[in-house]
Amino acid sequence: MENTSETSAAFVSSISKEHDILMGAVYSVFCVLSLTGNGILLLVAYHKRSTLKPAEYFIINLSISDLGMTLSLFPLAIPSSFSHRWLFGEVVCQLYAACGVLFGLCSLTNLTALSSVCCIKVCFPNYGNKFSSSHACLLVAAVWCYAFVFAAGPLAQWGHYSPEPYGTACCIDWHAPNHELSALSYILCLFIFCYALPCAVIFLSYTFILLTVRGSRQAVQQHVSPQSKTINAHALIIKLSVAVCFGFLGAWTPYAVVAMWAAFADALLVPPTAFALAALFAKSSTIYNPMVYLLFKPNFRQCLCRDASTIRHRISGGVHLGRMSVVHMQTTAF
């Protein structure tokens, strides 16, 4: 009974009801934007699937993981925020936390793979030109396996999942390292291999790309080669990838800082509001990818406009046929 009452108390919100309602409202906006943006991006990618470049497979995979996070987290977090407590019990709490870790790590690992591929294509073109769609698919599968190992760890008693300190969501138990060695080892591995190392790879990859592009700019300006269009296409993908990567890292870094503060310092000193705000920023990561690619990538934008025009013509054609049939019925009746 004591454990049940402690668990029940952990599921009660520790921030004000007004803040919970505000979080629920913001989560609702994020949910709609993520479903709309990622859904449209996947639809556009499906329509142009025959012309997709290998690097764009990672953009599609990022949208899939963002949709997974949106569909598994927001429908539970939104009503819990409005109700001022977690509504779905211990078992669902564990699954919620596992999904959050799985899709979050998949997105970060996916962006790490994307930055590495872009670096190889630009800095080592002899190898990069051999990178094919089948290689991209294998790397995407490896990304999911890598994320799954760390997401399954707490379910196998390597680390723990528990209610968030603010009470209306669940994630990794950041307090456990203060009193349990296995939890400490899990969080150390998580920090090194799922945050510090990916961030280092991303920063180094784009630094090498910047240095390579600067070094070859004069040569490109003096000699316009037949491959200039391909180079420009790669340059655009790299610019957009940088925007998505840094948007994602900007969203998740506050949560990483607060989590490490709780794990390696006195967890009681971390205010629940800090966790709540950090979680809010982290969940905003689901909307950056479609915004960047649908707004700034010309062929995605053109495909979207073409699809919208087709749908509009079909709707207007359907309305026109409907009117004609009504007129025909009225004429026949008379």
Side-chain angles (χ1 to χ4, degrees), residues 107-116 119 195-209 241-242 244-246 248-249:
S107 295
L108 180 56
T109 311
N110 186 78
L111 290 173
T112 307
L114 174 61
S115 67
S116 302
C119 182
Y195 186 76
L197 185 60
C199 286
V201 172
I202 288 171
F203 280 110
L204 287 173
S205 295
Y206 290 124
T207 300
F208 287 144
I209 288 171
S241 302
V242 169
V244 172
C245 283
F246 284 95
F248 183 90
L249 293 176

Side-chain angles (χ1 to χ4, degrees), residues 88-101:
F88 302 98
E90 176 68 26
V91 174
V92 178
C93 175
Q94 297 286 312
L95 294 175
Y96 176 101
C99 287
V101 173

Side-chain angles (χ1 to χ4, degrees), residues 88-171:
F88 302 98
E90 176 68 26
V91 174
V92 178
C93 175
Q94 297 286 312
L95 294 175
Y96 176 101
C99 287
V101 173
L102 173 65
F103 294 121
L105 292 184
C106 179
S107 295
L108 180 56
T109 311
N110 186 78
L111 290 173
T112 307
L114 174 61
S115 67
S116 302
V117 169
C118 288
C119 182
I120 292 170
K121 279 187 166 294
V122 173
C123 303
F124 309 99
N126 290 336
Y127 296 101
N129 293 334
K130 297 176 184 178
F131 189 82
S132 64
S133 298
S134 58
H135 294 138
C137 290
L138 287 173
L139 203 49
V140 164
V143 163
W144 281 99
C145 292
Y146 190 87
F148 180 80
V149 168
F150 286 93
L155 299 177
Q157 302 306 310
W158 183 38
H160 299 287
Y161 290 132
S162 71
E164 290 267 27
Y166 55 91
T168 57
C170 302
C171 196

